[in-house]
Amino acid sequence: MKFTSTDSYIATEDLTIAVNAAVTLQRPLLVKGEPGTGKTELARQVAAGLGLKMLEWNVKSTTRARQGLYEYDAVSRLRDSQLGDERVHDVKNYIRKGKLWQAFDTDERVVLLIDEIDKADIEFPNDLLQELDKMEFHVYETGETIRARQRPVVIITSNNEKELPDAFLRRCFFHYIRFPDPETLKRIVEVHFPGIKEDLLSTALSQFFEIRETPGLKKKPSTSEVLDWLKLLLAEDLGPEDLKREGSHLLPKLHGALLKNEQDVHLFERLAFMSRRGSR
């Protein structure tokens, strides 16, 4: 089982090496990178490329590690006991399987995505050490131990919002998705917009990298944002000549797809003001 780029996802050589190394080592792949660089999409493409089913666990600030294992619904059991329901005699009727249990409880290997693990409490990764390392956990309510029938391919994403514990990092194979260089980004765009005119693509990407590298920018536009921007340019049937930025027009066309906060918009407005003053 080897992962490579797919028809809809361009993976760099170092990324494919990282994925295949994690699969070979049977360790979780921890993927970090700027938001919008395709970390979540990577898991979907790995599943598609390896022909595996995918399970997705989206982590939030309120998510607890045990929710990935199972949840015991004691309230429903109490209510059913008051109503005389026969289901109360079997505690298994009140246990809801989490994503890890679902991944363990299958005869076929699956890809398990734990998305944005850094959103959760700092103890969240530590609470999953045993389960991800030994691929088993204990269900206290029933006394049974759940072991993975097939070791899943685990992909964990992080936006670097907080540091992850060293003990957790030791159990992962790590890869940082760097922002694509112009040539790689061009290939990514051509996958999403086949047949896009070369002159428009060249002008748009040149302008995009100029914007991204502007000093003082609070949030640099990402891969997903340049794809949104190009989609709008094509929908408006704009050409390279429509993208010129000079004088009072330093804000890019349809800039709302690229600049996502007022500080960055004001930055370009100030640059335009300074440019006007300098040309007098």
Side-chain angles (χ1 to χ4, degrees):
M1 299 171 72
K2 292 287 184 182
F3 171 71
T4 59
S5 293
T6 67
D7 292 340
S8 57
Y9 190 88
I10 300 297
T12 57
E13 182 180 3
D14 59 340
L15 179 55
T16 58
I17 290 172
V19 171
N20 291 318
V23 172
T24 300
L25 292 172
Q26 295 188 334
R27 288 192 176 276
L29 174 63
L30 174 60
V31 184
K32 290 187 178 183
E34 295 178 31
T37 49
K39 300 184 295 297
T40 302
E41 185 61 24
L42 170 66
R44 299 187 181 113
Q45 294 300 326
V46 168
L50 299 181
L52 303 177
K53 179 184 175 183
M54 187 180 118
L55 295 174
E56 190 168 343
W57 184 13
N58 297 299
V59 177
K60 302 177 181 178
S61 60
T62 56
T63 303
R64 297 291 175 262
R66 178 157 295 280
Q67 292 173 298
L69 308 179
Y70 68 93
E71 291 184 275
Y72 170 53
D73 192 352
V75 174
S76 292
R77 192 180 189 193
L78 175 61
R79 184 191 63 232
D80 287 348
S81 68
Q82 294 170 338
L83 297 174
D85 195 319
E86 289 296 320
R87 297 173 71 247
V88 299
H89 300 299
D90 188 353
V91 69
K92 290 182 179 179
N93 291 325
Y94 302 93
I95 290 179
R96 294 197 292 266
K97 296 179 181 179
K99 295 296 182 180
L100 260 75
W101 190 335
Q102 293 174 38
F104 290 179
D105 194 28
T106 177
D107 293 325
E108 297 179 354
R109 199 176 193 186
V110 299
V111 172
L112 172 63
L113 168 65
I114 304 177
D115 201 24
E116 299 189 330
I117 193 171
D118 52 326
K119 279 187 175 180
D121 183 86
I122 189 62
E123 291 303 319
F124 181 92
N126 282 332
D127 291 342
L128 290 177
L129 291 179
Q130 169 95 359
E131 290 76 12
L132 292 177
D133 193 23
K134 295 189 176 182
M135 288 288 156
E136 65 178 42
F137 63 90
H138 186 71
V139 182
Y140 295 97
E141 289 77 8
T142 64
E144 61 185 326
T145 297
I146 305 300
R147 295 183 177 88
R149 299 180 190 177
Q150 294 286 340
R151 195 177 185 99
V153 177
V154 181
I155 297 178
I156 303 169
T157 72
S158 169
N159 287 327
N160 251 350
E161 291 184 9
K162 62 170 68 84
E163 289 297 321
L164 299 174
D166 289 345
F168 179 79
L169 295 175
R170 282 200 304 272
R171 288 163 169 82
C172 298
F173 190 93
F174 173 76
H175 182 75
Y176 184 86
I177 297 184
R178 295 181 178 85
F179 192 83
D181 57 46
E183 187 56 38
T184 302
L185 187 56
K186 181 180 178 182
R187 290 169 57 203
I188 292 171
V189 170
E190 288 172 341
V191 163
H192 289 268
F193 304 107
I196 186 171
K197 293 180 180 178
E198 179 67 31
D199 54 351
L200 174 61
L201 177 56
S202 177
T203 302
L205 290 187
S206 176
Q207 186 174 128
F208 170 76
F209 277 101
E210 285 179 15
I211 295 166
R212 183 176 161 80
E213 293 163 10
T214 300
L217 207 60
K218 184 176 181 180
K219 185 202 176 300
K220 296 181 178 182
S222 66
T223 308
S224 63
E225 286 157 344
V226 74
L227 293 176
D228 286 345
W229 185 50
L230 284 166
K231 185 176 182 178
L232 289 173
L233 296 181
L234 291 170
E236 295 293 327
D237 197 24
L238 299 179
E241 64 282 353
D242 298 312
L243 302 184
K244 290 181 180 178
R245 295 168 56 235
E246 55 189 13
S248 61
H249 301 290
L250 282 182
L251 274 171
K253 287 281 188 181
L254 301 166
H255 63 269
L258 298 174
L259 305 176
K260 296 302 178 75
N261 60 66
E262 63 276 16
Q263 293 97 318
D264 290 341
V265 173
H266 292 332
L267 171 63
F268 279 91
E269 289 174 342
R270 287 197 302 271
L271 291 173
F273 176 72
M274 292 167 62
S275 176
R276 288 196 301 270
R277 289 186 62 182
S279 63
R280 287 174 183 172

